[in-house]
Amino acid sequence: MRVAVCISGRGSNLGALLEALGPGAAARVVLVLSNRPEAGGLQIARDRAIPAAVLNNTADGSEWLRILTEARVDFLVLAGFLKQVPQQVVEAYRHRIVNIHPALLPDHGGPGMYGLRVHRAVLARGDHQSGATVHEVTEQYDEGRILGQARVPVLPNDTPETLATRVLAVEHRLLPAAVLAAAKSGRAVPFDLPPDSISEQVA
Ligand code: GRF
């Protein structure tokens, strides 16, 4: 399965996915797409000689589709991509786009909920658990079908930053598991984390 990863920032999830997908894996990252030329994740792509493109206009679905078709992309992964995907692209890749979100959706999602804002909201509400969610991308922000989640505890002295670090560690396991599960059927499917990650989850 030929995968494009869309990023806006440092790209640590992209890096984790590339680490997890060895040479014989059923999925291969063939393209990295960014809305920002200065996104750190673009350097990760360059270092690995993976083709990368910066979108001129993220709202222009035909620009997306031209680039995705040229690279023969089967499946799209949003990993820290902060723009809305145009409807034309969502339609063309129906059941073949996933996003990773740093909280346990349906809580703490929706427009404006990204980065440290998410973790601040978790702490402000006094939640005892947080985690990460991989879900299908639809026209509604953060509302597509939930495919897999991993939980982490919220600790008494957590700051948004310490919580973000704990959540990011499980994101890095969750996203590869989602992509490898999808590669088996060519579309987004519900999945479980591999057994070695289960000890990280809170019952
Ligand atoms: C991650 O927390 C992801 O869940 C969110 O944005 C962050 C991206 O981090 N959507 P990185 O660019 O993968 O390091």
Side-chain angles (χ1 to χ4, degrees):
M1 185 174 77
R2 295 172 65 83
V3 176
V5 180
C6 305
I7 56 161
S8 297
R10 74 194 148 179
S12 73
N13 277 290
L14 166 66
L17 182 60
L18 292 169
E19 283 301 313
L21 300 177
R28 183 152 65 98
V29 178
V30 296
L31 177 68
V32 174
L33 266 184
S34 177
N35 60 312
R36 295 174 59 233
E38 65 276 25
L42 289 172
Q43 189 58 43
I44 297 176
R46 280 184 216 114
D47 289 347
R48 299 200 178 224
I50 296 168
V54 177
L55 292 158
N56 284 317
N57 176 5
T58 51
D60 178 2
S62 27
E63 183 187 353
W64 282 74
L65 290 180
R66 182 177 49 72
I67 296 170
L68 295 172
T69 306
E70 254 169 38
R72 292 182 289 120
V73 168
D74 302 310
F75 195 84
L76 274 177
V77 172
L78 310 186
F81 186 70
L82 296 179
K83 294 281 184 182
Q84 190 100 33
V85 177
Q87 186 172 349
Q88 215 183 329
V89 178
V90 173
E91 276 168 14
Y93 281 85
R94 181 81 62 201
H95 305 305
R96 293 186 297 144
I97 314 185
V98 298
N99 177 48
I100 185 154
H101 184 77
L104 296 174
L105 291 175
D107 290 349
H108 308 299
M113 284 303 256
Y114 61 87
L116 288 178
R117 294 176 189 209
V118 176
H119 306 296
R120 277 191 207 111
V122 169
L123 294 176
R125 203 174 70 174
D127 294 354
H128 295 295
Q129 289 185 8
S130 189
T133 302
V134 172
H135 65 93
E136 264 189 56
V137 173
T138 62
E139 286 79 359
Q140 268 69 47
Y141 228 86
D142 289 343
E143 282 186 11
R145 181 166 68 133
I146 291 173
L147 302 170
Q149 292 185 311
R151 295 167 192 276
V152 300
V154 176
L155 302 178
N157 294 325
D158 264 336
T159 62
E161 290 79 7
T162 59
L163 182 56
T165 303
R166 194 173 310 118
V167 170
L168 193 65
V170 293
E171 289 185 48
H172 291 168
R173 290 187 179 82
L174 196 67
L175 189 61
V179 172
L180 286 169
K184 288 192 182 143
S185 53
R187 54 190 275 149
V189 287
F191 67 97
D192 288 317
L193 271 186
D196 65 320
S197 307
I198 284 173
S199 59
E200 303 243 322
Q201 298 180 54
V202 176

